[in-house]
Amino acid sequence: VAKMVVLTNVKTVTMIPGDGIGPEISAAVMKIFEAAKAPITWEERNVTAIKGPGGRWMIPPDAKESMDRSKIGLKGPLKTPIAAGHPSMNLLLRKTFDLYANVRPCVSIEGYKTPYTDVNLVTIRENTEGEYSGIEHMIVDGVVQSIKLITENASRRIAEYAFEYARNNKRTSVTAVHKANIMRMSDGLFLRKCREVAENYKDIKFTEMYLDTVCLNMVQDPTQFDVLVMPNLYGDILSDLCAGLIGGLGVTPSGNIGANGVAIFESVHGTAPDIAGMDLANPTALLLSAVMMLHHMGLHDHADKIQTACFDTIRDKKVLTKDLGGSAKCSEFTAEICRRVQDLD
Amino acid sequence: MTTRSVRALSGALKPLFSPRSPQGYVVAVCHQTHKSTYTAPPARYGGRHTVTLIPGDGIGPELAKHVCELFRFCCVPVDFEVVNVDSTETSEDDINNAIMAIRRNGVALKGNIETNHNLPPSYKSRNSLLRTTLDLYASVMHCQSLPGVRTQHRNIDIITIRENTEGEYSSLEHENVPGVVESLKIITRTKSLRIADYAFRTAREKGRRRVTAVHKANIMKLGDGLFLECCKEVASGYPEITFDSMIVDNTTMQLVSRPQQFDVMVMPNLYGNVVSNVCAGLVGGPGLVPGANYGENYAVFETGTRNTGKSIANRNTANPTAMLLASCLLLDHLKLHGYASMIRKAILSTITDSRVRSHRCYMQYVGGIQLLLLRPALYFDITLNMSSPLCSSCTLLIWEVRAPHLKWSSPSWMQSRALDLAHRGTRNQMTVRLYL
């Protein structure tokens, strides 16, 4: 009996639906991917923290095993419990997989009007150290000291990633954002590493700019920026600023790149418990993150197809969810995108 | 009622304070007293004040020159004691001299002093040194949408109050292990209470309804948590003012989508830097917003966004509005409200009319005209033919009129009497009627 072995290049992706509107938008994305015939199989996992041996909080072992195998993850919004005793899930994921770079491409969406047009920039933020090291002490009553940690290795790693990203995505310039006039040693170290790495990427223009100058210029003319690389806190503020320029967290994709080739793409909005389960959610953020994931995996054709379908739907303004200014349901919006994807074939 | 011929002695033009006030624009001239017992430094002999002037680097010296010229033309009773701070010097003598001069005079007008961040960390930022030594704990910036300036958002009116002396700017850094640098951010209860108190007091004085504290207490639980706690404590003493708080990344997002929701914002040092620069960008850029640093005993005025503007230095393209409005804040502080409102009105009416481009200098100091009236007259018309075209808001500044029957004519008096006839026959011509 001859055995037929069918070689497929179907890739596995770990899907983490999340809480609140997470399951609905994940289902929407999976449906759209099916319509686009993308070669992806999904493995759904839950990442609610459990207490492992030794009393340390960790993510469930089956989730970790799935991620280690597939290396790519797509995550919906996760609820941060207030008094559950364990740290936030995002922090846990970050530590488990050493997700050192947070990438947020901000591109103006035609059809979703904001006061800023033609925005096309990428913020790359160091995700592991900096001001978010969590090291704080109360020295005496009424005096608190927070420690901001900058290390050579982390700075070099993020700078290298930023230039690699710029090269792979045909970007022309990388700008390091810092405040080295005030924080001489820490941001000075970050800047020095960026300069060193820039030496190896002569085809990409490297500039440095103070954080306040970037903020000032960003709200006047965001078109002058291309790729921005920065430490944790500035990255947090600037990436949200850029998200605000294109329309908010509901339409912004985001990706976290880790060591060992792991990458988790996520939507950065909240869980929106007030509209959970009512089929009103907007899956655009998660969808665009998934598109980013396809680009990362090299499936550019499918990525472009889905992105075009999504943008065309928004541009047409006929079927839009409530936060985009329309009155359609999530399922209708999803169906419309599926239809366009199939038409594009 | 006859026009008299006027002999112009030199043929150039200076801006004049427009007699027509800009339509519907209300200038808030409010003197900021941060302590009920504090009084402005006393006027010196002859009713003149002495103010320390630190030109700084980049566009600083040219802006300082504009302020000096303007004060001279308006006969403002202020003398400037100029102290130069050389940013290339590693010794701290220059900045110490400047600090001593400010202690002596009580108020200062300063440009930004550049910090070369490639120098070793022992070289501290001169601006930072000045602020911490003089304990200028509150940095206040009032960002308002100006009628003539085209921006993406309208109707913005935000006061940002930023703690100026501690937080991330403590300059305490060390490298315990090679390749690992630690930088300390210090938040103290006393300073947080002080800045919160200042914010609420200012809000009350100016009739503001809402104070928003900007923080990142979900991540920096102890540090920003302490700041937030102090703000809440102070808020309980001001029941008529609503107090709320917002995380800094959400704040920046809200600022670019809906900035009209903010009223007064109070925050620690670094977030203050980010938020005030975003607000300045929203209302039209670094050239338009003045800033003020207040302490218990001293006040220093500068441009709001503290830029050196190296790339546009010495090209006569820098926008002097921010520095000139800062000098108006200085005059208000010295209780010279008449001069302050006069200068402010002139500046703002200049912006209201003309096209605003950041690379155009729209206060064109071209030269001076001296008009000599030969015979008494009730009014006379001045027609000027210029070699270069005039923009639609160009106005004529007359700073001295000598006439036999007049004893002394102050600029404000002349302003109230001059009437721009707006006969712009050609683009290069302008006619103004001055009633005596």
Side-chain angles (χ1 to χ4, degrees):
Chain A
V1 171
K3 248 207 202 153
M4 281 255 281
V5 176
V6 178
L7 286 170
T8 57
N9 51 0
V10 174
K11 303 211 170 63
T12 322
V13 169
T14 310
M15 163 70 90
I16 303 163
D19 310 306
I21 53 172
E24 308 171 30
I25 55 178
S26 318
V29 170
M30 288 199 276
K31 218 186 322 182
I32 294 173
F33 269 51
E34 220 182 284
K37 296 204 223 4
I40 307 272
T41 53
W42 304 97
E43 277 184 17
E44 278 195 43
R45 293 285 181 268
N46 189 352
V47 291
T48 319
I50 56 169
K51 237 190 177 146
R56 251 177 8 138
W57 290 100
M58 54 182 232
I59 62 170
D62 60 334
K64 183 162 193 313
E65 182 266 337
S66 168
M67 269 302 304
D68 284 336
R69 209 174 359 100
S70 61
K71 299 271 189 226
I72 309 280
L74 186 65
K75 178 174 85 65
L78 290 175
K79 192 167 55 183
T80 305
I82 312 259
H86 60 73
S88 84
M89 233 63 70
N90 292 315
L91 189 59
L92 219 46
L93 278 171
R94 205 174 303 147
K95 287 219 151 47
T96 316
F97 298 108
D98 196 17
L99 301 172
Y100 65 90
N102 179 288
V103 183
R104 223 184 259 192
C106 294
V107 183
S108 280
I109 298 183
E110 212 183 314
Y112 189 42
K113 271 207 77 47
T114 58
Y116 302 90
T117 50
D118 295 330
V119 180
N120 188 356
L121 52 89
V122 181
T123 57
I124 298 182
R125 154 195 175 190
E126 208 290 324
N127 221 358
T128 56
E129 54 172 23
E131 296 81 349
Y132 293 7
S133 49
I135 312 170
E136 291 185 295
H137 330 283
M138 184 163 279
I139 307 179
V140 290
D141 188 29
V143 178
V144 173
Q145 149 190 310
S146 302
I147 296 191
K148 161 179 165 164
L149 206 61
I150 300 276
T151 57
E152 210 177 296
N153 289 334
S155 307
R156 194 176 349 105
R157 200 164 55 162
I158 191 71
E160 271 168 8
Y161 180 75
F163 280 95
E164 270 304 316
Y165 182 91
R167 193 176 262 175
N168 294 341
N169 291 274
K170 301 192 197 36
R171 295 285 189 167
T172 46
S173 75
V174 171
T175 307
V177 180
H178 64 98
K179 261 215 94 57
N181 52 346
I182 303 291
M183 286 178 261
R184 315 293 292 290
M185 285 174 79
S186 34
D187 283 353
L189 175 61
F190 179 78
L191 213 50
R192 267 202 314 278
K193 289 295 141 200
C194 287
R195 282 185 197 147
E196 275 172 31
V197 173
E199 295 294 312
N200 301 333
Y201 292 82
K202 287 282 195 234
D203 50 330
I204 297 170
K205 183 161 150 248
F206 174 68
T207 46
E208 317 167 351
M209 223 188 227
Y210 288 134
L211 172 66
D212 39 7
T213 314
V214 171
C215 287
L216 195 53
N217 293 339
M218 183 75 80
V219 292
Q220 291 180 72
D221 181 23
T223 58
Q224 58 186 291
F225 295 106
D226 196 356
V227 177
L228 299 164
V229 62
M230 49 219 150
N232 216 334
L233 176 68
Y234 314 149
D236 194 2
I237 301 176
L238 271 182
S239 56
D240 277 2
L241 181 69
C242 299
L245 294 177
I246 61 168
L249 295 178
V251 293
T252 309
S254 171
N256 296 295
I257 312 297
N260 308 321
V262 173
I264 299 186
F265 298 86
E266 58 177 357
S267 59
V268 282
H269 52 72
T271 51
D274 45 337
I275 57 168
M278 292 201 263
D279 199 19
L280 291 171
N282 177 4
T284 307
L286 195 62
L287 186 62
L288 291 177
S289 306
V291 166
M292 223 175 124
M293 178 184 78
L294 288 172
H295 278 299
H296 181 92
M297 286 158 58
L299 299 165
H300 301 290
D301 296 327
H302 292 93
D304 289 332
K305 213 166 35 172
I306 297 176
Q307 187 171 297
T308 317
C310 181
F311 283 168
D312 283 346
T313 313
I314 299 179
R315 192 192 6 241
D316 254 358
K317 293 201 212 236
K318 287 207 210 81
V319 189
L320 290 177
T321 50
K322 190 147 162 283
D323 62 319
L324 291 174
S327 55
K329 291 202 167 282
C330 177
S331 42
E332 290 167 20
F333 185 66
T334 313
E336 176 69 17
I337 299 183
C338 291
R339 192 183 61 77
R340 280 184 195 267
V341 165
Q342 277 156 348
D343 284 345
L344 280 170
D345 263 332
Chain B
M1 233 115 3
T2 48
T3 7
R4 291 296 171 197
S5 61
V6 165
R7 197 193 312 163
L9 290 180
S10 56
L13 178 71
K14 280 253 183 221
L16 164 90
F17 307 124
S18 163
R20 290 192 304 272
S21 54
Q23 295 82 344
Y25 186 80
V26 176
V27 174
V29 177
C30 187
H31 177 53
Q32 301 210 37
T33 8
H34 48 267
K35 216 163 132 175
S36 52
T37 52
Y38 174 74
T39 49
R44 300 304 163 83
Y45 186 76
R48 301 185 68 82
H49 296 262
T50 309
V51 170
T52 309
L53 177 64
I54 303 169
D57 298 312
I59 51 174
E62 19 182 312
L63 296 182
K65 206 157 58 86
H66 285 321
V67 172
C68 290
E69 277 179 29
L70 188 60
F71 274 24
R72 198 162 59 82
F73 297 146
C74 302
C75 309
V76 176
V78 164
D79 292 317
F80 285 113
E81 179 186 348
V82 180
V83 184
N84 284 306
V85 176
D86 190 354
S87 56
T88 54
E89 284 277 319
T90 42
S91 87
E92 295 191 358
D93 287 341
D94 272 350
I95 192 70
N96 288 332
N97 286 338
I99 292 174
M100 191 148 49
I102 301 177
R103 282 198 219 270
R104 181 167 51 235
N105 296 320
V107 277
L109 186 65
K110 100 181 231 306
N112 202 41
I113 304 164
E114 195 188 331
T115 308
N116 182 355
H117 56 261
N118 296 313
L119 289 174
S122 51
Y123 175 89
K124 303 215 181 296
S125 155
R126 297 300 182 238
N127 306 301
S128 213
L129 260 180
L130 203 137
R131 288 192 291 265
T132 44
T133 320
L134 295 170
D135 200 23
L136 301 167
Y137 64 88
S139 167
V140 181
M141 214 167 84
H142 187 179
C143 300
Q144 279 173 303
S145 289
L146 297 174
V149 179
R150 217 177 316 121
T151 53
Q152 285 97 343
H153 304 272
R154 313 281 330 135
N155 300 324
I156 299 175
D157 193 352
I158 304 175
I159 299 181
T160 60
I161 298 176
R162 156 191 179 188
E163 211 292 327
N164 221 359
T165 50
E166 57 168 18
E168 297 82 350
Y169 287 42
S170 328
S171 298
L172 297 164
E173 298 178 296
H174 46 261
E175 191 169 0
N176 283 336
V177 174
V180 176
V181 176
E182 286 185 354
S183 171
L184 301 181
K185 160 180 165 166
I186 311 286
I187 302 271
T188 55
R189 174 177 289 278
T190 25
K191 293 199 177 174
S192 304
L193 282 173
R194 194 167 60 162
I195 192 69
D197 194 45
Y198 183 86
F200 279 92
R201 239 183 310 120
T202 309
R204 178 178 270 175
E205 275 165 27
K206 300 202 169 195
R208 298 289 190 152
R209 300 265 62 109
R210 199 171 137 225
V211 172
T212 308
V214 178
H215 64 96
K216 191 91 189 150
N218 52 344
I219 305 284
M220 287 184 250
K221 299 187 172 68
L222 281 184
D224 287 349
L226 177 61
F227 179 80
L228 209 53
E229 211 183 287
C230 295
C231 289
K232 285 198 187 115
E233 238 179 83
V234 173
S236 56
Y238 292 80
E240 81 275 14
I241 299 176
T242 332
F243 171 70
D244 56 2
S245 61
M246 204 184 259
I247 303 186
V248 61
D249 40 12
N250 189 19
T251 309
T252 47
M253 211 173 347
Q254 297 292 326
L255 274 171
V256 291
S257 34
R258 223 172 33 98
Q260 296 82 3
Q261 60 181 293
F262 294 104
D263 196 355
V264 177
M265 300 170 79
V266 62
M267 48 224 152
N269 218 330
L270 184 68
Y271 313 143
N273 189 328
V274 171
V275 169
S276 54
N277 274 276
V278 171
C279 291
L282 289 174
V283 297
L288 293 177
V289 190
N293 304 287
Y294 294 103
E296 296 280 313
N297 305 309
Y298 310 107
V300 174
F301 300 89
E302 54 180 351
T303 61
T305 49
R306 303 175 180 169
N307 305 102
T308 45
K310 270 193 316 254
S311 53
I312 54 172
N314 297 320
R315 282 199 248 153
N316 198 21
T317 52
N319 188 338
T321 308
M323 193 56 122
L324 295 173
L325 286 174
S327 62
C328 292
L329 289 176
L330 169 71
L331 293 172
D332 277 326
H333 185 81
L334 295 174
K335 300 211 206 297
L336 298 168
H337 300 297
Y339 292 104
S341 52
M342 179 176 71
I343 297 177
R344 205 177 267 129
K345 251 203 271 202
I347 298 168
L348 295 172
S349 63
T350 310
I351 304 175
T352 305
D353 272 330
S354 63
R355 291 162 291 150
V356 177
R357 291 264 175 267
S358 54
H359 292 298
R360 270 178 80 108
C361 183
Y362 38 83
M363 296 280 271
Q364 291 183 315
Y365 291 85
V366 182
I369 291 183
Q370 281 182 320
L371 302 168
L372 206 57
L373 279 183
L374 302 172
R375 265 175 295 216
L378 286 171
Y379 70 84
F380 59 87
D381 289 340
I382 308 164
T383 302
L384 295 156
N385 290 298
M386 304 303 302
S387 53
S388 56
L390 299 162
C391 67
S392 60
S393 72
C394 256
T395 45
L396 176 68
L397 170 64
I398 305 171
W399 71 94
E400 195 175 333
V401 171
R402 288 183 201 161
H405 66 293
L406 294 174
K407 287 222 168 42
W408 161 246
S409 49
S410 73
S412 52
W413 174 87
M414 285 191 288
Q415 174 205 344
S416 61
R417 280 166 163 66
L419 181 66
D420 185 354
L421 294 179
H423 293 329
R424 307 288 162 97
T426 67
R427 284 193 66 204
N428 294 31
Q429 200 182 60
M430 177 184 183
T431 306
V432 170
R433 174 168 293 178
L434 181 66
Y435 285 86
L436 299 174

